Amino acid sequence: MKLFLDSANLEEIREVAGWGVLDGVTTNPSLCSKENASFEDNIRAICAVCPGPVSAECVSLEADEILVEARGLARLAPNIAVKIPVGLEGLKATKALHAEGIAVNMTLIFSAGQALLAAKAGARFVSPFIGRLDDVSEDGMALIEEIAQIFENYRFETEIIVASVRHPRHVIEAARIGADIATVPYGVMEKLVRHPLTDLGIERFLADWRKVKK
Ligand code: G3P
């Protein structure tokens, strides 16, 4: 499974790239609003650090305007994937962008029907937001299973990005289901590597090492 970092923070992205586990980055307007650098400069810098796909989101709502904005974003770097919220106008734009060879990450997916239409329109990625579904007492992971089954049935090449990840179990369950990608916030990425028994084990080994005759 590929791991993307769900962040617009260059330091976090550099750090995780250094761990050797970074396959891509997803940003959104909320994440970008936390950074000091200008939006375009920041996206260019992220693309230089991360060779994998970097999602940058369109904020236009009409297909013609989405197209202009998406083409502009795609010119920032060769590894840009343009994020477009699912909807009728977004689908029209996705069809045209797919024909132009621009990768689309169709975002704010909350149903299998939305994912199916996104795949048919030519989206390279779909981003179902599982944490936000869990927040309203729905089952985010069940949606991932449903979409994975549909894409498998019809051999869609569209990849599933499990998004709105809140804790390590989300990542592990996504991997068990066989989702292509999980996009993970920095804090959750750190939690994935830590275990108290690992820390305790290191402490004990170091204490015993001090007793070894050298
Ligand atoms: O990738 C989408 C993600 O950023 C949304 O996460 O935690 O705002 O639901 P959250």
Side-chain angles (χ1 to χ4, degrees), residues 5-7 26-28 30-31 34 57 83 105 107-108 110 127-133 135 161-166 183-185:
L5 192 67
D6 196 24
S7 172
T26 51
T27 70
N28 62 37
S30 305
L31 293 170
K34 296 179 192 162
E57 189 152 342
K83 229 175 175 186
N105 174 0
T107 190
L108 286 166
F110 290 100
S127 291
F129 278 27
I130 60 166
R132 293 192 196 182
L133 280 172
D135 286 345
I161 303 181
V162 178
S164 186
V165 160
R166 299 281 166 78
T183 189
V184 183

Short mmCIF file of all heavy atoms in Angstrom, two decimals, residues 5-7 26-28 30-31 34 57 83 105 107-108 110 127-133 135 161-166 183-185, ligand 1:
data_model
loop_
_atom_site.label_atom_id
_atom_site.label_comp_id
_atom_site.label_asym_id
_atom_site.label_seq_id
_atom_site.Cartn_x
_atom_site.Cartn_y
_atom_site.Cartn_z
N LEU A 5 1.34 11.63 2.70
CA LEU A 5 1.22 12.48 3.88
C LEU A 5 0.13 13.51 3.61
O LEU A 5 0.14 14.17 2.56
CB LEU A 5 2.56 13.16 4.18
CG LEU A 5 2.64 13.84 5.55
CD1 LEU A 5 2.58 12.81 6.68
CD2 LEU A 5 3.92 14.67 5.67
N ASP A 6 -0.81 13.63 4.54
CA ASP A 6 -1.91 14.59 4.41
C ASP A 6 -1.46 15.86 5.13
O ASP A 6 -1.76 16.06 6.31
CB ASP A 6 -3.16 13.99 5.06
CG ASP A 6 -4.44 14.72 4.65
OD1 ASP A 6 -4.44 15.35 3.58
OD2 ASP A 6 -5.43 14.64 5.40
N SER A 7 -0.74 16.70 4.40
CA SER A 7 -0.11 17.86 5.04
C SER A 7 0.34 18.85 3.96
O SER A 7 0.69 18.45 2.85
CB SER A 7 1.12 17.39 5.83
OG SER A 7 1.85 18.50 6.31
N THR A 26 -1.01 14.88 0.00
CA THR A 26 -2.30 15.51 -0.30
C THR A 26 -2.41 16.79 0.52
O THR A 26 -2.05 16.81 1.70
CB THR A 26 -3.49 14.58 0.03
OG1 THR A 26 -3.37 14.10 1.37
CG2 THR A 26 -3.57 13.41 -0.93
N THR A 27 -2.89 17.84 -0.15
CA THR A 27 -3.15 19.09 0.56
C THR A 27 -4.62 19.44 0.34
O THR A 27 -5.29 18.82 -0.50
CB THR A 27 -2.28 20.25 0.03
OG1 THR A 27 -2.72 20.61 -1.29
CG2 THR A 27 -0.80 19.88 0.00
N ASN A 28 -5.10 20.38 1.08
CA ASN A 28 -6.43 20.93 0.84
C ASN A 28 -6.41 22.38 1.33
O ASN A 28 -5.43 22.79 1.98
CB ASN A 28 -7.53 20.07 1.50
CG ASN A 28 -7.40 20.00 3.01
OD1 ASN A 28 -7.03 20.99 3.64
ND2 ASN A 28 -7.70 18.85 3.60
N SER A 30 -7.79 23.89 3.75
CA SER A 30 -7.65 24.04 5.22
C SER A 30 -6.19 23.81 5.63
O SER A 30 -5.65 24.56 6.45
CB SER A 30 -8.54 23.03 5.94
OG SER A 30 -9.87 23.17 5.51
N LEU A 31 -5.55 22.80 5.05
CA LEU A 31 -4.14 22.53 5.40
C LEU A 31 -3.25 23.67 4.90
O LEU A 31 -2.34 24.11 5.61
CB LEU A 31 -3.68 21.19 4.78
CG LEU A 31 -4.34 19.94 5.37
CD1 LEU A 31 -4.01 18.70 4.52
CD2 LEU A 31 -3.90 19.71 6.81
N LYS A 34 -2.79 26.91 6.98
CA LYS A 34 -1.94 26.90 8.18
C LYS A 34 -0.50 27.29 7.88
O LYS A 34 0.32 27.42 8.79
CB LYS A 34 -1.95 25.51 8.82
CG LYS A 34 -3.30 25.05 9.31
CD LYS A 34 -3.18 23.66 9.90
CE LYS A 34 -4.55 23.06 10.16
NZ LYS A 34 -4.50 21.61 10.33
N GLU A 57 -5.63 21.53 -4.51
CA GLU A 57 -7.09 21.58 -4.70
C GLU A 57 -7.59 22.82 -5.43
O GLU A 57 -7.16 23.94 -5.15
CB GLU A 57 -7.78 21.46 -3.33
CG GLU A 57 -9.28 21.29 -3.42
CD GLU A 57 -9.86 20.53 -2.21
OE1 GLU A 57 -9.10 19.85 -1.48
OE2 GLU A 57 -11.07 20.63 -2.02
N LYS A 83 -6.93 18.31 -7.29
CA LYS A 83 -8.02 17.83 -6.45
C LYS A 83 -9.28 18.62 -6.80
O LYS A 83 -9.25 19.86 -6.81
CB LYS A 83 -7.65 18.08 -4.99
CG LYS A 83 -7.84 16.90 -4.08
CD LYS A 83 -7.31 17.25 -2.69
CE LYS A 83 -7.60 16.15 -1.72
NZ LYS A 83 -7.21 16.54 -0.35
N ASN A 105 -7.69 14.06 -8.65
CA ASN A 105 -8.04 13.40 -7.39
C ASN A 105 -9.42 13.94 -7.00
O ASN A 105 -9.54 15.08 -6.58
CB ASN A 105 -6.98 13.74 -6.33
CG ASN A 105 -7.34 13.22 -4.95
OD1 ASN A 105 -8.39 12.61 -4.76
ND2 ASN A 105 -6.47 13.50 -3.99
N THR A 107 -12.33 14.55 -4.75
CA THR A 107 -12.30 14.59 -3.29
C THR A 107 -13.70 14.80 -2.69
O THR A 107 -14.68 14.97 -3.42
CB THR A 107 -11.32 15.69 -2.82
OG1 THR A 107 -11.12 15.57 -1.41
CG2 THR A 107 -11.82 17.09 -3.14
N LEU A 108 -13.75 14.76 -1.35
CA LEU A 108 -15.01 14.88 -0.61
C LEU A 108 -16.00 13.80 -1.03
O LEU A 108 -17.20 14.06 -1.20
CB LEU A 108 -15.60 16.29 -0.77
CG LEU A 108 -14.86 17.38 0.01
CD1 LEU A 108 -15.27 18.78 -0.44
CD2 LEU A 108 -15.09 17.25 1.52
N PHE A 110 -18.23 10.71 -0.24
CA PHE A 110 -18.90 10.14 0.93
C PHE A 110 -19.85 8.99 0.55
O PHE A 110 -20.57 8.49 1.41
CB PHE A 110 -19.68 11.23 1.68
CG PHE A 110 -18.75 12.21 2.37
CD1 PHE A 110 -18.48 13.44 1.78
CD2 PHE A 110 -18.14 11.89 3.57
CE1 PHE A 110 -17.61 14.35 2.41
CE2 PHE A 110 -17.26 12.78 4.19
CZ PHE A 110 -17.00 14.01 3.61
N SER A 127 -11.00 10.16 -3.26
CA SER A 127 -10.66 10.33 -1.85
C SER A 127 -11.91 10.26 -0.97
O SER A 127 -12.56 11.29 -0.71
CB SER A 127 -9.95 11.68 -1.62
OG SER A 127 -8.67 11.67 -2.19
N PRO A 128 -12.28 9.05 -0.51
CA PRO A 128 -13.36 8.95 0.47
C PRO A 128 -12.85 9.38 1.84
O PRO A 128 -11.77 8.96 2.28
CB PRO A 128 -13.71 7.45 0.48
CG PRO A 128 -12.86 6.81 -0.59
CD PRO A 128 -11.74 7.73 -0.92
N PHE A 129 -13.66 10.22 2.53
CA PHE A 129 -13.26 10.79 3.84
C PHE A 129 -13.84 9.92 4.96
O PHE A 129 -14.96 10.15 5.41
CB PHE A 129 -13.82 12.22 3.96
CG PHE A 129 -13.00 13.28 3.29
CD1 PHE A 129 -12.20 13.01 2.20
CD2 PHE A 129 -13.04 14.59 3.77
CE1 PHE A 129 -11.45 14.01 1.58
CE2 PHE A 129 -12.29 15.60 3.17
CZ PHE A 129 -11.50 15.30 2.07
N ILE A 130 -13.08 8.99 5.43
CA ILE A 130 -13.65 8.01 6.36
C ILE A 130 -13.86 8.57 7.77
O ILE A 130 -14.84 8.26 8.41
CB ILE A 130 -12.83 6.70 6.39
CG1 ILE A 130 -11.40 6.96 6.85
CG2 ILE A 130 -12.86 6.03 5.05
CD1 ILE A 130 -10.70 5.66 7.22
N GLY A 131 -12.94 9.40 8.25
CA GLY A 131 -13.07 9.94 9.60
C GLY A 131 -14.32 10.79 9.75
O GLY A 131 -15.01 10.73 10.76
N ARG A 132 -14.62 11.57 8.71
CA ARG A 132 -15.81 12.43 8.80
C ARG A 132 -17.09 11.60 8.77
O ARG A 132 -18.11 12.01 9.32
CB ARG A 132 -15.80 13.47 7.67
CG ARG A 132 -14.67 14.46 7.84
CD ARG A 132 -14.79 15.66 6.94
NE ARG A 132 -13.53 16.37 6.89
CZ ARG A 132 -13.33 17.49 6.21
NH1 ARG A 132 -14.32 18.03 5.51
NH2 ARG A 132 -12.15 18.07 6.21
N LEU A 133 -17.06 10.42 8.10
CA LEU A 133 -18.23 9.53 8.16
C LEU A 133 -18.35 8.93 9.56
O LEU A 133 -19.44 8.88 10.13
CB LEU A 133 -18.10 8.41 7.11
CG LEU A 133 -18.47 8.82 5.69
CD1 LEU A 133 -18.12 7.72 4.70
CD2 LEU A 133 -19.96 9.15 5.59
N ASP A 135 -17.43 10.26 12.21
CA ASP A 135 -17.86 11.36 13.10
C ASP A 135 -19.38 11.49 13.16
O ASP A 135 -19.92 12.02 14.12
CB ASP A 135 -17.32 12.71 12.60
CG ASP A 135 -15.84 12.88 12.87
OD1 ASP A 135 -15.29 12.10 13.67
OD2 ASP A 135 -15.22 13.79 12.27
N ILE A 161 -7.80 6.59 -2.45
CA ILE A 161 -7.01 7.23 -1.38
C ILE A 161 -7.89 7.28 -0.14
O ILE A 161 -8.87 8.04 -0.12
CB ILE A 161 -6.57 8.67 -1.75
CG1 ILE A 161 -5.77 8.70 -3.05
CG2 ILE A 161 -5.77 9.27 -0.60
CD1 ILE A 161 -5.29 10.12 -3.44
N VAL A 162 -7.58 6.50 0.86
CA VAL A 162 -8.33 6.57 2.12
C VAL A 162 -7.93 7.86 2.82
O VAL A 162 -6.76 8.05 3.19
CB VAL A 162 -8.04 5.33 2.99
CG1 VAL A 162 -8.78 5.43 4.32
CG2 VAL A 162 -8.43 4.06 2.25
N ALA A 163 -8.89 8.78 2.96
CA ALA A 163 -8.59 10.12 3.49
C ALA A 163 -9.41 10.38 4.75
O ALA A 163 -10.29 9.61 5.11
CB ALA A 163 -8.91 11.17 2.43
N SER A 164 -9.06 11.49 5.41
CA SER A 164 -9.66 11.83 6.71
C SER A 164 -9.35 10.70 7.70
O SER A 164 -10.22 10.22 8.42
CB SER A 164 -11.18 12.06 6.54
OG SER A 164 -11.76 12.51 7.72
N VAL A 165 -8.08 10.33 7.68
CA VAL A 165 -7.57 9.27 8.57
C VAL A 165 -7.30 9.89 9.94
O VAL A 165 -6.70 10.95 10.04
CB VAL A 165 -6.27 8.69 7.95
CG1 VAL A 165 -5.43 7.97 8.98
CG2 VAL A 165 -6.62 7.78 6.77
N ARG A 166 -7.75 9.23 11.00
CA ARG A 166 -7.67 9.83 12.34
C ARG A 166 -6.76 9.08 13.29
O ARG A 166 -6.35 9.61 14.31
CB ARG A 166 -9.07 9.92 12.96
CG ARG A 166 -10.04 10.76 12.17
CD ARG A 166 -9.82 12.25 12.41
NE ARG A 166 -10.53 13.06 11.42
CZ ARG A 166 -11.82 13.31 11.43
NH1 ARG A 166 -12.58 12.83 12.39
NH2 ARG A 166 -12.36 14.05 10.49
N THR A 183 -3.88 8.38 2.96
CA THR A 183 -3.21 9.66 3.19
C THR A 183 -3.34 9.99 4.67
O THR A 183 -4.43 10.04 5.22
CB THR A 183 -3.71 10.78 2.25
OG1 THR A 183 -2.84 11.90 2.42
CG2 THR A 183 -5.16 11.20 2.47
N VAL A 184 -2.18 10.16 5.30
CA VAL A 184 -2.09 10.08 6.75
C VAL A 184 -1.52 11.39 7.31
O VAL A 184 -0.48 11.85 6.84
CB VAL A 184 -1.15 8.89 7.12
CG1 VAL A 184 -1.08 8.71 8.62
CG2 VAL A 184 -1.60 7.60 6.44
N PRO A 185 -2.18 11.98 8.31
CA PRO A 185 -1.61 13.18 8.94
C PRO A 185 -0.30 12.81 9.66
O PRO A 185 -0.12 11.65 10.08
CB PRO A 185 -2.67 13.61 9.96
CG PRO A 185 -3.90 12.84 9.63
CD PRO A 185 -3.47 11.61 8.91
O1 G3P B 1 -7.42 14.23 3.09
C1 G3P B 1 -8.56 14.85 3.55
C2 G3P B 1 -8.36 15.22 4.96
O2 G3P B 1 -7.45 16.27 5.04
C3 G3P B 1 -9.57 15.56 5.72
O3 G3P B 1 -9.28 15.23 7.01
O4 G3P B 1 -9.42 15.27 9.42
O5 G3P B 1 -10.21 17.25 8.07
O6 G3P B 1 -11.51 15.12 8.09
P1 G3P B 1 -10.16 15.75 8.22
#
